[in-house]
Amino acid sequence: MSRRSGILEFAVLGLLRESPMHGYELRKRLNTSLGVFRAFSYGSLYPCLKTLVGQGWLIEEPGSAPAEALAASLAGRRAKIVYRLTAEGKEHFEELLAHTGPEAWEDEHFGVRFAFFGQTSRDVRMRVLEGRRSRLEERLDKMRASLARTRERLDDYTLELQRHGMESVEREVRWLNELIESERAGREQRGGPAEQNRSPDQSQDRSQNQPQDQSEETGGLPRHRGSSRPDPSDDTAK
């Protein structure tokens, strides 16, 4: 399986875990929610769906009422097929979610993995975020070293392009730092030693007298005021 097709299968399984969909709905969600798939076509999606059905991870079901299906047949149109995740498919997707290998940190795959962080455990989120940050810090060091060696030989426009690329990577590193700190703060609040040693009555009083932490309200993500976070799938951050 190629890396590209593996990312597509992961995304399809993740979207179908949320709800069953037919092919058009899937393609629309891939295009609008996951920017890395903007250029994907039916020619790429349907072979992927057939493969997942053949592996037992999806099943095909009629997508319309019997009368509508009959009308489509009489009109020579193909009735819509709805794809539903099987129990085996859900188990396989959960195994993929738990994977934190180096490919999860790469530009294309990280953007898709991040889109499903809401379904991912906190420990796995932390490992993926820290791995991504480490990968970008290595890239940044290489970019700085290259710029230092070639600065005098570059014209103004090429130099500006190099600086733009570095700034994009630096911006994503700062964003990752915010996310990692937010995840750590949420973990300490729920599982820190002070909280574990607190008596039930003290914990209840604390929860009644203090407002809910922002990281809990947002699922561990920091709130951004007046600024937008970088898109992990944005080519300028590569």
Side-chain angles (χ1 to χ4, degrees):
M1 181 194 307
S2 69
R3 176 179 296 182
R4 185 78 168 176
S5 62
I7 297 172
L8 179 58
E9 290 186 6
F10 176 86
V12 168
L13 291 172
L15 290 174
L16 290 177
R17 188 186 185 190
E18 298 173 3
S19 64
M21 301 181 202
H22 55 71
Y24 175 77
E25 290 173 310
L26 268 173
R27 182 172 179 266
K28 185 176 180 181
R29 288 290 304 279
L30 287 168
N31 289 342
T32 57
S33 303
L34 305 175
V36 70
F37 298 110
R38 289 189 188 103
F40 262 55
S41 64
Y42 286 111
S44 301
L45 177 59
Y46 280 102
C48 173
L49 291 170
K50 293 299 181 183
T51 297
L52 295 176
V53 170
Q55 291 170 329
W57 296 332
L58 302 181
I59 57 173
E60 297 176 330
E61 298 177 338
S64 55
E68 294 177 358
L70 179 59
S73 177
L74 293 175
R77 301 193 309 269
R78 181 180 177 183
K80 290 182 179 179
I81 295 175
V82 169
Y83 295 90
R84 181 184 298 274
L85 198 65
T86 64
E88 293 80 6
K90 181 179 180 181
E91 182 178 351
H92 178 63
F93 180 68
E94 289 172 351
E95 292 173 356
L96 295 176
L97 277 180
H99 182 65
T100 58
E103 68 270 16
W105 315 336
E106 299 297 340
D107 295 335
E108 249 184 13
H109 208 160
F110 174 75
V112 179
R113 286 298 302 267
F114 189 83
F116 294 101
F117 262 23
Q119 304 181 41
T120 307
S121 69
R122 182 181 297 268
D123 289 343
V124 171
R125 292 199 302 264
M126 281 290 291
R127 289 196 292 272
V128 173
L129 290 172
E130 289 173 343
R132 174 66 175 173
R133 181 176 63 181
S134 176
R135 180 59 51 84
L136 289 182
E137 287 173 341
E138 292 175 3
R139 183 182 302 173
L140 198 54
D141 288 342
K142 292 179 180 177
M143 294 173 73
R144 286 168 176 162
S146 175
L147 185 60
R149 289 194 306 269
T150 61
R151 181 188 300 270
E152 295 181 357
R153 300 195 300 270
L154 299 177
D155 62 67
D156 291 343
Y157 296 102
T158 305
L159 183 60
E160 193 61 31
L161 184 62
Q162 294 282 338
R163 288 173 176 166
H164 173 69
M166 286 178 55
E167 289 171 359
S168 297
V169 177
E170 288 169 345
R171 185 167 60 250
E172 186 172 348
V173 169
R174 290 194 297 270
W175 173 65
L176 289 167
N177 285 334
E178 292 179 11
L179 291 172
I180 290 169
E181 288 306 312
S182 227
E183 293 285 349
R184 285 175 178 165
R187 175 189 293 172
E188 290 169 0
Q189 180 180 9
R190 286 205 283 262
E195 189 68 26
Q196 292 173 357
N197 294 331
R198 193 184 301 274
S199 68
D201 291 340
Q202 288 175 315
S203 297
Q204 184 175 4
D205 292 341
R206 182 176 180 273
S207 65
Q208 291 174 348
N209 295 331
Q210 293 190 6
Q212 189 176 26
D213 185 76
Q214 277 189 348
S215 64
E216 292 296 320
E217 295 174 357
T218 58
L221 297 181
R223 293 188 184 277
H224 294 262
R225 296 181 176 86
S227 64
S228 60
R229 67 188 184 212
D231 183 352
S233 64
D234 190 347
D235 291 340
T236 61
K238 298 178 184 177

